[in-house]
């Protein structure tokens, strides 16, 4: 298993689906830089966020779906951990697949 | 984190920096005056608050001297305490401004930090209590204005500092900043003491930042902050939190949470500031809040160290 670096990225969650909107005070969050779609989905579903159980979410970053870890996304785009990443979440249209790591 | 030298750090255009300094100085003049007059009372006490000593006349009886006084058949009559005259204090103050890109990218924390810097630098210049230096920090630390440099009396002096802040550093290494601050103050103290200085020297660092530090550094900062305290260096963290007021409540560092995954893979969410390691910090939403908040914090601190 990959050793977590402990690095964090600040993200801002947005959505266009009004029934799953977060209250303003919960939209900004520091998350582990290694996080992927599945981990972000679990955070959103958690009791202290949307408390929605297990809805699979997909995340749009700059217009395209996040398919790598956040730090890979940053590296690929020449961005640093100083970047505040805006993540637009939508209910996933892809059938859920088992993923071992977050 | 790369090492930045003077030459590859990006610089703001001089005339732009000069315009900024002039605008900020005019805009914050009233606040500078207010801060300066509040700090004068705190930093330059004309009267000691402590009663001490043994005198024939004075302000209050020293209870411990009463029994010997009677036992000596009223001969040992130095039974009164007076307010002692305080020694003249001098200060070395470092203003540490966050130059990392989190201050600039779709955030106006950088602007608030620069305005705050101008306001505080002007207030300290009016006070004339000692030396004022400026450090910039991000992934690295640079000296933007030396402690031995002139005070901020001319627009040119100020503009040359503002030129050096462009908020493009790709990290916020707070541990490195605190380390460099301690070292810088140690050198500065040695230099001062080689000179005339039998004065009472106080060293104070004010950090102007959005407060966003990698949480894993919080634990590493604690021993450094203890070392600063042992070196009699006071560190005040001023969190630039303009989002707290203007753009709805969502953007404020006060509300910011962090998510981690527990050993069971479950996400756990904490308030970011709960592990924030700086014992003296204040959160500023508006520039107008700063003079009162900073003076209040310093008053509390001086009361603690003098108590
Ligand atoms: Mg930063």
């Amino acid at each position: 298993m990959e050793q977590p670096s402990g690095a964090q990225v600040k993200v801002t969650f947005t959505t266009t689906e009004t029934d799953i909107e977060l209250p303003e005070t919960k939209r900004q969050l520091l998350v582990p830089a290694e996080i992927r779609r599945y981990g972000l989905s679990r955070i959103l579903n958690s009791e202290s966020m949307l408390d929605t159980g297990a809805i699979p979410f997909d995340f749009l970053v700059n217009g395209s779906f996040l398919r790598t870890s956040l730090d890979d996304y940053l590296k690929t785009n020449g961005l640093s951990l100083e970047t505040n990443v805006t993540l637009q979440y939508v209910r996933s249209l892809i059938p859920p697949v088992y993923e071992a790591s977050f | 984190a790369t090492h930045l030298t003077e030459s590859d750090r990006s610089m703001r255009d001089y005339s732009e920096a000069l315009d900024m300094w002039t605008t900020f100085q005019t805009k914050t003049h009233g606040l500078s005056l207010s801060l300066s007059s509040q700090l004068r009372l705190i930093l330059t006490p004309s009267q000691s608050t402590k009663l001490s000593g043994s005198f024939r006349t004075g302000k209050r009886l020293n209870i411990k001297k009463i029994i010997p006084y009677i036992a000596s058949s009223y001969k040992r009559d130095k039974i009164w305490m007076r307010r002692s005259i305080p020694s003249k204090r001098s200060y070395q103050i470092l203003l540490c401004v966050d130059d990392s890109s989190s201050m600039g990218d779709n955030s106006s924390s950088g602007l608030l930090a620069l305005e705050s810097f101008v306001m505080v630098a002007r207030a300290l210049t009016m006070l004339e209590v000692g030396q004022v230096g400026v450090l910039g920090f991000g992934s690295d630390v640079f000296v933007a204005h030396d402690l031995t440099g002139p005070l901020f009396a001319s627009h040119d002096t100020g503009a040359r500092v503002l030129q050096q802040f462009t908020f493009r550093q790709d990290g916020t290494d707070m541990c490195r900043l605190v380390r460099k601050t301690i070292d810088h103050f140690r050198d500065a103290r040695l230099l001062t003491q080689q000179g005339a200085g039998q004065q009472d020297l106080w060293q104070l660092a004010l950090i102007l930042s959005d407060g966003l530090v990698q949480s894993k550094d919080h634990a590493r900062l604690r021993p450094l902050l203890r070392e600063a305290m042992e070196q009699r260096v006071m560190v005040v963290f001023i969190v630039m939190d303009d989002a707290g007021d203007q753009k709805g409540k969502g953007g404020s560092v006060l509300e910011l949470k962090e998510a981690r995954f527990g050993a069971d893979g479950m996400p756990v969410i904490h308030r970011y500031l709960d592990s924030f390691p700086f014992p003296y910090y204040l959160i500023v939403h508006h520039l107008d809040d700063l003079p009162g908040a900073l003076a209040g914090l310093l008053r509390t601190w001086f009361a603690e160290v003098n108590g």
Side-chain angles (χ1 to χ4, degrees):
Chain A
M1 208 178 126
E2 208 177 308
Q3 196 64 29
S5 68
Q8 290 173 314
V9 187
K10 188 177 167 194
V11 300
T12 304
F13 291 113
T14 64
T15 191
T16 51
E17 301 174 42
T18 49
D19 59 323
I20 48 167
E21 220 173 14
L22 281 164
E24 267 183 359
T25 55
K26 292 186 176 179
R27 288 179 196 168
Q28 301 223 13
L29 192 67
L30 295 167
V31 299
E34 299 91 349
I35 205 163
R36 293 165 174 272
R37 184 195 72 81
Y38 184 65
L40 289 165
S41 229
R42 292 195 71 166
I43 287 173
L44 275 189
N45 277 305
S46 72
E47 235 171 275
S48 31
M49 295 295 273
L50 288 169
D51 198 12
T52 36
I55 302 177
F57 289 108
D58 259 316
F59 298 86
L60 281 153
V61 52
N62 241 337
S64 51
F65 285 108
L66 180 72
R67 292 285 172 248
T68 62
S69 64
L70 266 184
D71 59 358
D72 279 342
Y73 164 78
L74 292 174
K75 262 174 229 152
T76 313
N77 290 277
L79 300 167
S80 74
L81 295 176
E82 292 284 309
T83 313
N84 182 357
V85 183
T86 300
L87 294 172
Q88 188 195 335
Y89 56 98
V90 293
R91 284 185 176 83
S92 182
L93 302 171
I94 303 164
V97 287
Y98 178 78
E99 285 179 61
S101 78
F102 59 80
Chain B
T2 49
H3 188 86
L4 295 173
T5 61
E6 189 91 24
S7 56
D8 51 32
R9 249 193 301 129
S10 52
M11 297 277 270
R12 200 182 289 278
D13 182 60
Y14 178 78
S15 63
E16 184 198 332
L18 195 61
D19 278 351
M20 282 171 78
W21 182 272
T22 310
T23 309
F24 295 168
Q25 180 175 328
T26 308
K27 183 182 165 188
T28 66
H29 182 65
L31 295 172
S32 293
L33 280 173
S34 157
L35 179 61
S36 154
S37 64
Q38 292 186 66
L39 290 183
R40 194 179 304 280
L41 296 172
I42 302 163
L43 302 183
T44 58
S46 55
Q47 202 181 36
S48 171
T49 48
K50 262 191 179 170
L51 289 153
S52 61
S54 325
F55 304 95
R56 286 216 172 77
T57 59
K59 190 93 179 154
R60 191 182 297 164
L61 276 170
N62 185 344
I63 302 300
K64 283 184 208 148
K65 301 276 165 126
I66 301 292
I67 303 270
Y69 172 57
I70 298 166
S72 70
S73 308
Y74 310 103
K75 281 187 188 118
R76 294 166 69 179
D77 58 353
K78 292 182 177 175
I79 55 172
W80 294 90
M81 297 190 291
R82 289 179 187 168
R83 291 191 197 281
S84 55
I85 298 155
S87 57
K88 185 162 165 46
R89 289 182 190 163
S90 71
Y91 292 85
Q92 286 176 332
I93 298 167
L94 279 177
L95 305 176
C96 311
V97 184
D98 191 338
D99 187 39
S100 72
S101 64
S102 65
M103 300 285 290
D105 297 341
N106 55 56
S107 157
S108 46
S109 301
L111 183 67
L112 185 58
L114 291 184
E115 286 180 348
S116 302
F117 156 66
V118 174
M119 192 274 281
V120 175
R122 286 291 304 155
L124 294 173
T125 298
M126 294 172 193
L127 262 179
E128 290 188 294
V129 288
Q131 300 176 326
V132 180
V134 185
L135 298 183
F137 68 96
S139 45
D140 203 359
V141 179
F142 63 92
V143 179
H145 184 82
D146 207 87
L147 278 169
T148 55
L151 287 173
F152 293 90
S154 82
H155 291 209
D156 174 70
T157 308
R160 289 186 191 282
V161 172
L162 289 187
Q163 264 195 290
Q164 302 177 61
F165 290 91
T166 51
F167 311 113
R168 288 195 198 143
Q169 294 203 42
D170 63 0
T172 313
D173 192 341
M174 200 61 73
C175 295
R176 188 182 287 227
L177 170 69
V178 177
R179 174 79 268 148
K180 292 256 171 137
T181 302
I182 296 170
D183 295 346
H184 203 77
F185 271 141
R186 182 180 299 133
D187 295 346
R189 183 181 286 275
L190 284 173
L191 273 176
T192 314
Q193 281 165 351
Q194 277 164 7
Q198 278 306 312
Q199 285 181 328
D200 192 9
L201 178 66
W202 295 72
Q203 295 180 321
L204 173 66
L206 303 181
I207 302 175
L208 304 172
S209 165
D210 56 13
L212 295 177
V213 179
Q214 291 283 325
S215 298
K216 65 175 177 181
D217 286 346
H218 286 183
R220 289 172 59 217
L221 276 162
R222 278 174 223 282
L224 281 170
L225 291 167
R226 216 172 301 130
E227 187 185 336
M229 210 185 285
E230 283 159 12
Q231 301 283 326
R232 306 209 323 133
V233 170
M234 199 221 176
V235 181
V236 177
F237 200 114
I238 304 170
V239 182
M240 299 290 135
D241 190 35
D242 63 318
D245 221 67
Q246 292 167 9
K247 296 171 234 156
K249 288 168 194 132
S252 171
V253 72
L254 283 167
E255 300 289 348
L256 185 62
K257 314 276 194 308
E258 57 175 317
R260 292 171 185 289
F261 289 88
D264 56 356
M266 293 296 287
V268 189
I269 293 171
H270 294 287
R271 215 169 75 100
Y272 170 72
L273 283 179
D274 284 349
S275 64
F276 199 64
F278 290 87
Y280 296 98
Y281 72 89
L282 44 100
I283 296 177
V284 174
H285 302 307
H286 282 292
L287 199 59
D288 307 17
D289 308 337
L290 186 51
L294 182 57
L297 195 145
L298 292 177
R299 199 178 295 120
T300 309
W301 182 71
F302 274 103
E304 275 172 32
V305 295
N306 292 330

